[in-house]
Amino acid sequence: MEKDKRKFILDELMQPDFITEQECDMLLKEYEESGKSELNVSLLSEHNLLIANADMKKTELHFFRKDKEKSMYKRVDHMIFEQQSNGKWKLHLIEMKGSVGERKWVEIKGKFRASYLLAQALAGMLELEISETVLYTTCERVEFHFSDTMPSARRGSLGRPFVRMQEEWNGGRFGLNFGRRIPFSHIPIQMKRNQNGILVGNLTEK
């Protein structure tokens, strides 16, 4: 797609500031009642498209099923399309939390899946070829324990390999269910609380 055509779609056909153009450095914020987080992001590319606070924007695709357990109406906090030197785009999906346990991890994975499909739809509209996708979860604390109220946490689905949540969290064997388990890169980001009680952290590409 010619750059002028993509810019016209962004500037004239989409809601103002739904997607913004960003350089390599940006500050992503999540200000929930349960806590505040700020993530300093430093990417390699100077040409990026950011959907900040995607979970607060109207991104519903009403042809998706509304079953709560499928999480198709959930979104991650931030989505970044990073332009690569070969003209393709790297997708970053970022979810920001204070703490993560078993139930919240299941919820986060649902958000990742729904947000990935949304990103693919937007990439199709803007003719962005996604070459790589990386998922991130920021948090201060993470604790995975088998739960008496979540028997499914103790075993894998029939016919599917069992993967412990800790292994998924560490990124070694992370995958999302699309009829079959498709592997993705997941990077946990450790956050620390500053003197103002805000969780702060860094995402820096090497």
Side-chain angles (χ1 to χ4, degrees):
M1 175 186 285
E2 295 180 4
K3 185 177 180 180
D4 289 346
K5 182 180 177 183
R6 180 178 296 126
K7 185 170 177 58
F8 177 80
I9 294 173
L10 293 173
D11 293 346
E12 302 294 334
L13 303 183
M14 290 187 173
Q15 291 288 342
D17 296 325
F18 175 69
I19 298 179
T20 59
E21 296 182 271
Q22 300 286 331
E23 296 183 351
C24 59
D25 296 321
M26 60 193 87
L27 176 63
L28 303 182
K29 301 179 180 180
E30 174 64 17
Y31 288 171
E32 292 185 345
E33 292 183 3
S34 58
K36 300 179 180 180
S37 297
E38 294 183 353
L39 183 68
N40 292 292
V41 177
S42 182
L43 302 179
L44 297 177
S45 174
E46 292 284 350
H47 304 287
N48 305 288
L49 299 175
L50 167 68
I51 306 177
N53 304 113
D55 58 329
M56 304 299 291
K57 295 179 176 176
K58 295 182 179 181
T59 61
E60 297 88 351
L61 299 175
H62 293 287
F63 48 78
F64 279 131
R65 292 177 58 168
K66 296 183 178 180
D67 312 47
K68 184 177 180 180
E69 66 273 11
K70 296 188 184 298
S71 301
M72 295 312 299
Y73 287 80
K74 299 284 188 179
R75 301 288 181 258
V76 296
D77 293 309
H78 306 285
M79 305 168 65
I80 304 171
F81 295 92
E82 179 188 9
Q83 189 170 29
Q84 307 291 280
S85 58
N86 59 5
K88 297 181 181 180
W89 297 76
K90 181 176 180 179
L91 174 63
H92 305 266
L93 299 180
I94 302 166
E95 177 66 8
M96 304 174 80
K97 294 292 186 186
S99 62
V100 176
E102 293 87 350
R103 289 186 181 278
K104 200 167 287 186
W105 182 234
V106 171
E107 173 189 316
I108 290 170
K109 289 182 66 179
K111 288 184 177 184
F112 279 141
R113 183 172 67 173
S115 300
Y116 175 70
L117 291 177
L118 172 63
Q120 286 189 310
L122 291 168
M125 296 177 202
L126 300 172
E127 296 183 16
L128 310 175
E129 184 178 350
I130 299 175
S131 59
E132 181 183 359
T133 300
V134 183
L135 316 178
Y136 308 84
T137 308
T138 75
C139 74
E140 181 182 26
R141 301 183 310 278
V142 57
E143 293 183 6
F144 292 129
H145 302 290
F146 289 138
S147 170
D148 293 334
T149 59
M150 291 182 67
S152 60
R154 301 171 182 270
R155 61 182 184 277
S157 300
L158 293 177
R160 295 179 184 170
F162 174 68
V163 180
R164 293 184 180 277
M165 291 182 177
Q166 189 68 52
E167 290 181 277
E168 291 185 317
W169 174 259
N170 292 333
R173 298 182 63 193
F174 183 87
L176 297 175
N177 179 19
F178 288 99
R180 62 183 178 88
R181 188 173 177 278
I182 297 179
F184 287 86
S185 296
H186 175 261
I187 298 176
I189 298 177
Q190 180 66 50
M191 304 287 274
K192 294 185 178 180
R193 199 172 298 274
N194 67 13
Q195 60 185 7
N196 298 317
I198 299 174
L199 294 177
V200 296
N202 298 286
L203 189 174
T204 304
E205 280 192 317
K206 297 180 180 180

